[in-house]
Amino acid sequence: MELGILLAIVGGFLDAYTFVGRGGVFANAQTGNVVLIGMEVATGEWGQVVLHAIPILAFMIGVVVAEMIKKPSMRLFIPDSERAVLILEIAVLFIIGFIPYTSPNIIVTVAISFVSSVQVSSFRKLVGSTYNTTMITGNLRSATQEAYFAFTSKDNESARRAIRYSTINLSFLAGAILGGLLTSFIGVKAVWVAVIILICSVILFSTDDCKSKNTHIEV
C-alpha cells in the first residue's frame, strides 16, 4: 500500500510537471493527449497534433519494453524487473532535471511518457486489486463501486478496498498539486523531487523484500 501511494504521488507529479513546465502536454494521461489531438485536427493545427502524438507513441513503446523486461528469458540479466523499472525511472528523471526550458519540450515529454508507461505496466496490483499509478479514472470508478457495495451489502472487504482506492486517488491529487507548485517556483529541477520519492520507493521495496523473501508483492 505504501509503495502504491508513493508511485501515485509520482504519477500526479509528472503530469503536472509536463503540463505546467513542458508545453501543456500530459506525459501520463494519454487520454488527454488524444482529446487534444482531436481538437487540433478539427482546427487544422497539424504541428500541435505531432506534438501530442509523439508522447503517445513513446508510451506505447514503454509498454512493450516493460513486457520484454518481464519475460522469463530476461531473468538472467534482470532478476528483479520491478526494482529495475524504478531505477530506470530514477535515472531518466534525474537527467531530465538538467534539461533547460530552452531545449525542445518534446525531448522531456517523450522521456517521461516512456518511463511512466513502464511504471504503469510493471505495477498494476494493489493488495490483490488492479489499479493504476499514473491516472485515476479507473481507480475512481473502482473506489465508487466498492463504496457502493460496502454501503448496500455491508461488505467490510469492499469498504477496505474503497479506502485503498480513495487513498491512491488522493495521493495522485497530492502529487499533482505538489508538481504544479514546485514546477512554478523551482522550474525544471522540480522533477528531482519525484526522483527523491522514487528513491524512497526503492528503499521501501528492498526493505519489504528483506522482511518477507517468500512473498512476491506486485503493487
Side-chain angles (χ1 to χ4, degrees):
M1 185 66 198
E2 291 83 356
L3 181 57
I5 289 171
L6 291 176
L7 293 180
I9 291 173
V10 171
F13 189 103
L14 293 179
D15 252 351
Y17 175 79
T18 56
F19 191 85
V20 172
R22 296 294 186 173
V25 175
F26 292 108
N28 297 336
Q30 301 308 321
T31 302
N33 287 331
V34 171
V35 171
L36 290 172
I37 286 174
M39 293 189 297
E40 288 152 4
V41 167
T43 57
E45 299 178 61
W46 302 109
Q48 290 297 107
V49 169
V50 173
L51 181 66
H52 291 104
I54 293 177
I56 295 174
L57 178 60
F59 189 93
M60 295 168 65
I61 293 172
V63 172
V64 173
V65 170
E67 293 305 315
M68 291 175 63
I69 290 174
K70 290 187 286 186
K71 291 180 66 174
S73 59
M74 293 295 292
R75 295 289 182 182
L76 180 63
F77 308 99
I78 308 175
D80 191 335
S81 60
E82 288 91 349
R83 188 179 286 108
V85 164
L86 293 175
I87 293 172
L88 171 64
E89 194 169 358
I90 287 169
V92 171
L93 295 181
F94 181 73
I95 293 171
I96 285 173
F98 290 105
I99 300 176
Y101 279 138
T102 52
S103 300
N105 288 325
I106 194 66
I107 297 173
V108 173
T109 54
V110 164
I112 292 181
S113 292
F114 172 77
V115 296
S116 296
S117 67
V118 175
Q119 174 183 307
V120 75
S121 298
S122 302
F123 299 91
R124 295 184 291 188
K125 288 188 178 180
L126 176 73
V127 197
S129 301
T130 301
Y131 87 130
N132 197 308
T133 59
T134 62
M135 57 198 83
I136 68 165
T137 302
N139 296 340
L140 186 60
R141 179 200 60 80
S142 297
T144 305
Q145 185 180 54
E146 296 294 349
Y148 172 79
F149 291 151
F151 181 76
T152 57
S153 304
K154 302 298 186 289
D155 187 337
N156 291 332
E157 182 56 33
S158 289
R160 284 190 285 271
R161 284 195 290 264
I163 291 172
R164 286 196 289 264
Y165 278 119
S166 297
T167 301
I168 294 299
N169 292 340
L170 290 173
S171 299
F172 186 92
L173 174 61
I177 294 171
L178 185 64
L181 289 174
L182 291 180
T183 303
S184 297
F185 287 107
I186 300 176
V188 296
K189 291 180 173 54
V191 74
W192 287 344
V193 174
V195 169
I196 294 171
I197 297 172
L198 286 170
I199 290 173
C200 293
S201 299
V202 173
I203 294 171
L204 180 64
F205 202 90
S206 302
T207 302
D208 197 62
D209 275 351
C210 292
K211 289 181 179 178
S212 183
K213 292 183 178 180
N214 296 323
T215 302
H216 174 69
I217 296 181
E218 185 183 16
V219 180

